Amino acid sequence: MSDELQGWERRDKPPTLYRRFSFERYAQTRAFLDALSVLCDEFKRHPQNISFGTTYVNVTLEPADDKVFASQDETFAARISALAEQGK
Amino acid sequence: MSDELQGWERRDKPPTLYRRFSFERYAQTRAFLDALSVLCDEFKRHPQNISFGTTYVNVTLEPADDKVFASQDETFAARISALAEQGK
């Protein structure tokens, strides 16, 4: 697994990448979600699922081609991780 | 169950109210999520969990008092349902 996927958990059948992001306050969670929304517009793609409460966001990615994870997926994952770091 | 809770599923242990909202396009999903965020600010409370993909949003509410659902919870649920109707 590349450095870009640090912190992400790879799951199979179907292939997904999963990561949980935790925050101290709702304002941080909200800022991360808003930034993630903008990032999705930039990449013209969306996580398969985003599940969040007041202080956490679970993100599940599927491969852009629906079959195998490639470098574009790793870049997307890394950019999401970077957003979470910015908000802390 | 009151009319306000039409479409919501009540679950026990712990008590939650759950409803799935489906949309035809991501833009509608996004609009609902944004409106829901504003509603949360107005009510100064947040669903226990919001889980969404491009065309659906699953909302899980917990009682405001953490124990028993009361009229304020039903009002919150009804207002969420109304947001989904607006976006269609």
Side-chain angles (χ1 to χ4, degrees), chain A residues 26 37 46 49-52 56, chain B residues 26 46 49-52 56:
Chain A
Y26 174 68
S37 172
H46 307 282
N49 181 266
I50 296 170
S51 176
F52 69 96
Y56 69 89
Chain B
Y26 175 69
H46 307 282
N49 181 267
I50 296 170
S51 176
F52 70 98
Y56 69 88

Side-chain angles (χ1 to χ4, degrees), chain B residues 20-38:
Chain B
R20 182 181 183 88
F21 299 95
S22 295
F23 302 93
E24 287 184 11
R25 295 185 303 279
Y26 175 69
Q28 294 170 320
T29 305
R30 188 73 252 161
F32 173 69
L33 286 166
D34 290 344
L36 181 51
S37 172
V38 172

